[in-house]
Amino acid sequence: MAQSLSLLKWVLHHRHPLPSVGSSSSKRFFFLLVHSEQTHLHQHKRLGFVNHHLLQHQQQRQIRAFSSNSNSSGNGNIDFLGLSDEQLMGQCEMDTFKASGPGGQHRNKRESAVRLKHLPTGIISQAVEDRSQHKNRAAALARLRTLLALKVRNTIDLDGYKPPPELLQILPLKSTIRGSDTGSQIGPNNPKFALGMRALLDLIHAVDGSVADAAKLLGLSTGGLSRLILSDDSLRMAVNEFRTSKGLMPYMLRSVVPSVLSGN
Protein backbone atom coordinates (compact mmCIF):
# COMPACT_ATOMS: atom_id res chain seq x y z
CA MET A 1 0.00 0.00 0.00
CA ALA A 2 2.83 2.41 0.83
CA GLN A 3 4.43 1.76 -2.54
CA SER A 4 1.08 2.35 -4.25
CA LEU A 5 0.69 5.73 -2.55
CA SER A 6 4.27 6.62 -3.44
CA LEU A 7 3.58 5.87 -7.10
CA LEU A 8 0.41 7.97 -7.03
CA LYS A 9 2.25 10.89 -5.40
CA TRP A 10 4.96 10.69 -8.06
CA VAL A 11 2.35 10.94 -10.80
CA LEU A 12 0.66 13.93 -9.16
CA HIS A 13 3.99 15.65 -8.45
CA HIS A 14 5.04 15.44 -12.08
CA ARG A 15 1.55 16.54 -13.16
CA HIS A 16 1.08 13.74 -15.58
CA PRO A 17 -2.56 13.54 -16.56
CA LEU A 18 -4.22 10.37 -15.38
CA PRO A 19 -4.99 8.12 -18.32
CA SER A 20 -8.58 7.84 -19.33
CA VAL A 21 -10.57 4.88 -18.10
CA GLY A 22 -10.47 2.01 -20.56
CA SER A 23 -7.22 3.04 -22.27
CA SER A 24 -4.26 0.69 -22.35
CA SER A 25 -2.15 3.12 -20.32
CA SER A 26 -4.93 3.26 -17.69
CA LYS A 27 -4.97 -0.51 -17.41
CA ARG A 28 -1.20 -0.47 -17.16
CA PHE A 29 -1.29 2.15 -14.40
CA PHE A 30 -3.84 0.33 -12.25
CA PHE A 31 -2.05 -2.98 -12.82
CA LEU A 32 1.08 -1.40 -11.37
CA LEU A 33 -0.87 -0.18 -8.33
CA VAL A 34 -2.40 -3.61 -7.66
CA HIS A 35 0.91 -5.43 -8.25
CA SER A 36 2.70 -3.02 -5.93
CA GLU A 37 0.14 -3.54 -3.18
CA GLN A 38 0.23 -7.35 -3.51
CA THR A 39 4.03 -7.31 -3.36
CA HIS A 40 3.93 -5.20 -0.20
CA LEU A 41 1.41 -7.51 1.49
CA HIS A 42 3.46 -10.57 0.54
CA GLN A 43 6.59 -9.00 2.01
CA HIS A 44 4.70 -8.06 5.17
CA LYS A 45 3.41 -11.60 5.66
CA ARG A 46 6.84 -13.04 4.99
CA LEU A 47 8.43 -10.69 7.53
CA GLY A 48 5.80 -11.70 10.07
CA PHE A 49 6.56 -15.37 9.41
CA VAL A 50 10.29 -14.77 9.76
CA ASN A 51 9.88 -12.69 12.93
CA HIS A 52 7.74 -15.43 14.50
CA HIS A 53 10.40 -18.07 13.87
CA LEU A 54 13.16 -15.73 14.98
CA LEU A 55 11.28 -15.21 18.27
CA GLN A 56 10.90 -18.98 18.75
CA HIS A 57 14.58 -19.51 17.98
CA GLN A 58 15.53 -16.75 20.43
CA GLN A 59 13.43 -18.33 23.19
CA GLN A 60 15.03 -21.74 22.54
CA ARG A 61 18.48 -20.17 22.68
CA GLN A 62 17.60 -18.53 26.01
CA ILE A 63 16.58 -21.91 27.45
CA ARG A 64 19.73 -23.55 26.13
CA ALA A 65 21.84 -20.70 27.51
CA PHE A 66 20.24 -21.14 30.91
CA SER A 67 20.99 -24.87 30.77
CA SER A 68 24.70 -24.14 30.56
CA ASN A 69 24.98 -21.32 33.09
CA SER A 70 26.27 -21.33 36.66
CA ASN A 71 22.97 -22.60 38.07
CA SER A 72 23.98 -26.12 37.06
CA SER A 73 25.31 -28.71 39.46
CA GLY A 74 28.69 -30.36 39.08
CA ASN A 75 27.31 -33.10 36.82
CA GLY A 76 25.73 -30.64 34.38
CA ASN A 77 22.18 -30.88 35.73
CA ILE A 78 20.13 -27.73 36.21
CA ASP A 79 19.54 -26.85 39.87
CA PHE A 80 16.23 -25.00 39.69
CA LEU A 81 15.65 -25.51 43.42
CA GLY A 82 18.93 -23.78 44.21
CA LEU A 83 17.60 -20.52 42.76
CA SER A 84 16.34 -17.72 44.98
CA ASP A 85 12.64 -16.81 44.86
CA GLU A 86 13.44 -13.80 42.69
CA GLN A 87 15.51 -15.86 40.25
CA LEU A 88 12.88 -18.57 40.01
CA MET A 89 10.13 -15.98 39.45
CA GLY A 90 12.27 -14.52 36.67
CA GLN A 91 11.85 -17.82 34.80
CA CYS A 92 8.07 -17.80 35.23
CA GLU A 93 5.11 -16.32 33.41
CA MET A 94 2.54 -15.15 35.97
CA ASP A 95 -1.20 -14.80 35.37
CA THR A 96 -3.80 -13.53 37.81
CA PHE A 97 -7.48 -14.43 37.74
CA LYS A 98 -10.63 -14.44 39.84
CA ALA A 99 -11.01 -17.65 41.81
CA SER A 100 -14.38 -19.39 41.69
CA GLY A 101 -16.13 -21.34 44.39
CA PRO A 102 -16.53 -20.75 48.15
CA GLY A 103 -14.13 -18.66 50.15
CA GLY A 104 -15.80 -15.46 51.27
CA GLN A 105 -17.87 -12.66 49.82
CA HIS A 106 -14.83 -10.68 48.63
CA ARG A 107 -13.01 -13.60 47.02
CA ASN A 108 -14.19 -13.04 43.46
CA LYS A 109 -14.07 -9.24 43.43
CA ARG A 110 -10.35 -9.03 42.60
CA GLU A 111 -7.98 -11.10 40.54
CA SER A 112 -6.11 -12.44 43.57
CA ALA A 113 -5.58 -16.01 42.34
CA VAL A 114 -2.12 -16.65 40.87
CA ARG A 115 -0.96 -19.10 38.23
CA LEU A 116 2.75 -19.59 37.49
CA LYS A 117 4.18 -21.25 34.40
CA HIS A 118 7.85 -22.21 34.61
CA LEU A 119 9.05 -21.50 31.10
CA PRO A 120 12.13 -23.79 30.94
CA THR A 121 10.10 -26.86 31.98
CA GLY A 122 6.45 -25.94 31.23
CA ILE A 123 5.41 -26.90 34.79
CA ILE A 124 2.37 -24.96 36.08
CA SER A 125 1.39 -24.24 39.68
CA GLN A 126 -1.32 -22.05 41.13
CA ALA A 127 -2.79 -20.80 44.39
CA VAL A 128 -6.35 -19.54 44.84
CA GLU A 129 -7.16 -19.96 48.52
CA ASP A 130 -6.24 -16.50 49.86
CA ARG A 131 -7.74 -13.10 49.09
CA SER A 132 -4.23 -11.65 49.02
CA GLN A 133 -2.48 -11.87 45.67
CA HIS A 134 0.87 -11.58 47.44
CA LYS A 135 0.18 -14.62 49.64
CA ASN A 136 -1.13 -16.62 46.69
CA ARG A 137 2.01 -15.78 44.75
CA ALA A 138 4.19 -17.08 47.59
CA ALA A 139 2.08 -20.25 47.87
CA ALA A 140 2.21 -20.87 44.12
CA LEU A 141 5.98 -20.44 44.15
CA ALA A 142 6.35 -22.93 47.01
CA ARG A 143 4.19 -25.44 45.11
CA LEU A 144 6.28 -24.87 42.00
CA ARG A 145 9.40 -25.86 43.94
CA THR A 146 7.70 -29.08 45.04
CA LEU A 147 6.60 -29.85 41.48
CA LEU A 148 10.11 -29.23 40.18
CA ALA A 149 11.44 -31.67 42.79
CA LEU A 150 8.88 -34.27 41.74
CA LYS A 151 9.04 -33.89 37.96
CA VAL A 152 12.55 -32.75 36.97
CA ARG A 153 15.08 -35.57 37.21
CA ASN A 154 18.85 -35.24 37.42
CA THR A 155 21.15 -38.02 36.27
CA ILE A 156 23.52 -39.45 38.87
CA ASP A 157 26.48 -41.80 38.70
CA LEU A 158 26.03 -44.86 40.95
CA ASP A 159 29.75 -45.69 40.91
CA GLY A 160 31.06 -44.43 44.23
CA TYR A 161 27.69 -42.82 44.98
CA LYS A 162 27.55 -40.50 47.99
CA PRO A 163 24.16 -39.03 48.97
CA PRO A 164 24.12 -35.22 48.93
CA PRO A 165 23.61 -33.41 52.27
CA GLU A 166 19.98 -32.55 51.47
CA LEU A 167 19.18 -36.27 51.10
CA LEU A 168 20.97 -37.17 54.33
CA GLN A 169 18.79 -34.63 56.15
CA ILE A 170 15.53 -36.44 55.33
CA LEU A 171 16.82 -39.95 56.08
CA PRO A 172 15.69 -41.68 59.31
CA LEU A 173 18.13 -41.63 62.21
CA LYS A 174 18.67 -45.37 61.76
CA SER A 175 20.58 -44.77 58.52
CA THR A 176 24.16 -46.02 58.91
CA ILE A 177 25.57 -43.35 56.60
CA ARG A 178 24.11 -40.45 58.56
CA GLY A 179 26.90 -38.48 60.21
CA SER A 180 26.70 -36.88 63.65
CA ASP A 181 26.78 -33.45 62.01
CA THR A 182 23.70 -34.12 59.86
CA GLY A 183 21.31 -32.93 62.54
CA SER A 184 17.75 -34.02 63.18
CA GLN A 185 15.61 -35.56 60.47
CA ILE A 186 13.69 -33.10 58.26
CA GLY A 187 10.03 -33.97 57.65
CA PRO A 188 7.59 -33.14 54.83
CA ASN A 189 6.43 -29.94 56.55
CA ASN A 190 9.91 -28.44 56.30
CA PRO A 191 10.50 -26.35 53.13
CA LYS A 192 13.90 -28.05 52.71
CA PHE A 193 12.22 -31.45 52.40
CA ALA A 194 11.73 -30.82 48.66
CA LEU A 195 15.51 -30.78 48.13
CA GLY A 196 15.94 -34.15 49.81
CA MET A 197 12.90 -35.56 48.03
CA ARG A 198 14.37 -34.58 44.66
CA ALA A 199 17.67 -36.30 45.50
CA LEU A 200 15.84 -39.44 46.66
CA LEU A 201 13.78 -39.60 43.46
CA ASP A 202 16.94 -39.14 41.39
CA LEU A 203 18.42 -42.17 43.15
CA ILE A 204 15.28 -44.30 42.74
CA HIS A 205 15.24 -43.50 39.03
CA ALA A 206 18.93 -44.41 38.78
CA VAL A 207 18.26 -47.88 40.29
CA ASP A 208 15.23 -48.42 38.02
CA GLY A 209 12.70 -48.13 40.85
CA SER A 210 14.23 -50.75 43.15
CA VAL A 211 13.63 -49.54 46.70
CA ALA A 212 15.80 -52.36 48.02
CA ASP A 213 18.81 -51.22 45.96
CA ALA A 214 18.27 -47.59 46.93
CA ALA A 215 17.99 -48.56 50.62
CA LYS A 216 21.39 -50.30 50.51
CA LEU A 217 23.02 -47.16 49.15
CA LEU A 218 21.39 -45.10 51.92
CA GLY A 219 22.32 -47.38 54.81
CA LEU A 220 18.69 -48.34 55.46
CA SER A 221 16.55 -51.43 55.47
CA THR A 222 13.96 -51.69 52.70
CA GLY A 223 11.27 -51.18 55.34
CA GLY A 224 12.97 -48.02 56.64
CA LEU A 225 13.11 -46.44 53.18
CA SER A 226 9.55 -47.61 52.48
CA ARG A 227 8.30 -45.76 55.54
CA LEU A 228 10.09 -42.61 54.39
CA ILE A 229 8.44 -42.87 50.97
CA LEU A 230 5.03 -43.38 52.55
CA SER A 231 5.47 -40.36 54.85
CA ASP A 232 4.59 -37.93 52.05
CA ASP A 233 1.74 -38.44 49.59
CA SER A 234 3.39 -36.57 46.72
CA LEU A 235 6.61 -38.55 47.14
CA ARG A 236 4.69 -41.82 47.32
CA MET A 237 2.74 -41.02 44.14
CA ALA A 238 5.91 -40.06 42.27
CA VAL A 239 7.58 -43.33 43.25
CA ASN A 240 4.41 -45.25 42.36
CA GLU A 241 4.26 -43.70 38.92
CA PHE A 242 7.85 -44.63 38.14
CA ARG A 243 7.64 -48.14 39.63
CA THR A 244 4.47 -48.84 37.65
CA SER A 245 6.23 -47.78 34.45
CA LYS A 246 8.89 -50.37 35.26
CA GLY A 247 6.35 -53.13 35.96
CA LEU A 248 6.94 -53.05 39.74
CA MET A 249 4.40 -53.12 42.55
CA PRO A 250 3.27 -49.62 43.60
CA TYR A 251 2.90 -48.41 47.16
CA MET A 252 -0.87 -48.14 47.37
CA LEU A 253 -1.56 -47.60 51.08
CA ARG A 254 0.28 -46.36 54.11
CA SER A 255 -0.52 -49.68 55.80
CA VAL A 256 1.50 -51.70 53.25
CA VAL A 257 3.73 -54.16 55.07
CA PRO A 258 7.33 -53.35 54.04
CA SER A 259 8.32 -57.04 53.92
CA VAL A 260 5.97 -57.51 50.99
CA LEU A 261 8.26 -55.25 48.93
CA SER A 262 11.54 -56.58 50.33
CA GLY A 263 12.49 -58.05 46.96
CA ASN A 264 12.22 -54.69 45.19
Side-chain angles (χ1 to χ4, degrees):
M1 180 62 73
Q3 293 178 353
S4 302
L5 291 176
S6 298
L7 180 59
L8 183 59
K9 288 180 179 179
W10 184 88
V11 172
L12 294 176
H13 176 73
H14 290 79
R15 297 182 181 180
H16 286 288
L18 290 175
S20 59
V21 177
S23 65
S24 59
S25 57
S26 173
K27 293 178 182 179
R28 172 75 176 168
F29 174 76
F30 286 106
F31 171 79
L32 289 174
L33 288 178
V34 172
H35 177 71
S36 175
E37 183 176 353
Q38 288 177 342
T39 301
H40 174 73
L41 290 175
H42 176 72
Q43 290 175 345
H44 179 74
K45 290 179 180 178
R46 180 170 178 79
L47 286 174
F49 176 80
V50 172
N51 288 338
H52 173 71
H53 282 268
L54 284 176
L55 178 60
Q56 284 186 329
H57 180 64
Q58 183 180 13
Q59 291 173 341
Q60 292 172 353
R61 283 195 305 171
Q62 289 172 348
I63 293 174
R64 286 197 296 269
F66 175 79
S67 301
S68 59
N69 68 9
S70 59
N71 292 319
S72 299
S73 61
N75 57 5
N77 294 318
I78 304 173
D79 185 15
F80 292 121
L81 299 186
L83 300 175
S84 67
D85 287 350
E86 292 73 18
Q87 290 172 326
L88 189 56
M89 277 298 300
Q91 298 178 349
C92 294
E93 180 182 85
M94 187 179 86
D95 293 322
T96 58
F97 59 97
K98 294 180 180 179
S100 59
Q105 60 178 342
H106 301 293
R107 185 176 183 185
N108 296 325
K109 291 188 177 180
R110 297 194 327 177
E111 294 186 347
S112 59
V114 173
R115 181 184 295 109
L116 298 178
K117 180 178 181 181
H118 187 237
L119 297 179
T121 62
I123 294 174
I124 296 175
S125 68
Q126 67 179 31
V128 302
E129 57 271 23
D130 204 281
R131 294 192 315 208
S132 167
Q133 184 182 116
H134 179 74
K135 291 182 179 179
N136 282 335
R137 176 182 176 274
L141 192 61
R143 288 168 187 167
L144 176 61
R145 289 187 180 276
T146 299
L147 290 172
L148 288 170
L150 293 170
K151 296 179 178 296
V152 179
R153 296 278 58 82
N154 293 326
T155 56
I156 60 176
D157 186 4
L158 293 177
D159 294 333
Y161 174 74
K162 292 183 179 180
E166 59 267 23
L167 177 51
L168 293 175
Q169 287 183 318
I170 72 170
L171 294 181
L173 299 179
K174 293 182 178 180
S175 169
T176 59
I177 64 171
R178 251 179 152 268
S180 58
D181 58 342
T182 304
S184 58
Q185 181 183 7
I186 289 177
N189 293 328
N190 191 308
K192 294 182 179 180
F193 185 80
L195 291 169
M197 180 171 61
R198 177 190 63 179
L200 177 56
L201 287 170
D202 290 343
L203 176 59
I204 290 176
H205 276 243
V207 296
D208 291 328
S210 173
V211 176
D213 289 347
K216 292 176 183 178
L217 293 170
L218 298 177
L220 288 170
S221 65
T222 304
L225 182 54
S226 299
R227 285 187 288 272
L228 173 59
I229 294 172
L230 294 172
S231 69
D232 182 78
D233 286 337
S234 58
L235 174 58
R236 174 178 57 85
M237 288 187 289
V239 172
N240 277 349
E241 182 179 358
F242 183 67
R243 283 175 61 87
T244 301
S245 70
K246 294 293 182 178
L248 301 174
M249 182 186 298
Y251 291 85
M252 299 302 296
L253 300 171
R254 292 181 182 274
S255 59
V256 170
V257 179
S259 59
V260 174
L261 301 167
S262 59
N264 294 318

